[in-house]
Amino acid sequence: MVFDEATTRHLHSGCALLLGTVSADGAPHAARGHGVRVLSSSPPRVRVLLPPDERLLDNLRATGVLAITTAEVPTLVSMQLKGRVGPIGPL
């Protein structure tokens, strides 16, 4: 998979972000995200700012999987990214 210019533009547009995680025992959790940025289009890598949500962080540390759902409210354009997290820490 490669992010094309339209995908990168969408992700950099200030779109609404919903982050989905799952705990080690399979319990889902969702939280708002902020400031997604494309770090690489091939292979696709993004950075997203996480809210101060301990359950979200615990789930990411336990399972390493994240789903990011985006939506541009005025156009209703949306997409979902799924993958594994890299390092978690301050910018």
Side-chain angles (χ1 to χ4, degrees), residues 12 15-17 22-24 27-28 34-35 37-38 44 50 53 61 65 71 79 82-84 86:
H12 290 178
C15 53
L17 301 175
V22 63
S23 68
H34 306 279
R37 285 292 172 252
V38 173
L50 302 174
D53 182 321
R61 289 182 186 113
V65 295
M79 68 177 58
K82 294 181 180 182
R84 298 211 162 269

Side-chain angles (χ1 to χ4, degrees), residues 3 6-19 32-40 44-51 66-72 79-82 91:
F3 288 159
T7 299
T8 299
R9 225 177 6 261
H10 169 75
L11 293 172
H12 290 178
S13 71
C15 53
L17 301 175
L18 182 64
L19 308 177
R32 292 286 313 265
H34 306 279
V36 67
R37 285 292 172 252
V38 173
L39 301 178
S40 170
R45 289 183 56 227
V46 300
R47 178 181 64 213
V48 64
L49 302 178
L50 302 174
L66 177 66
I68 303 172
T69 302
T70 71
E72 281 186 63
M79 68 177 58
Q80 187 174 67
L81 309 172
K82 294 181 180 182
L91 290 176

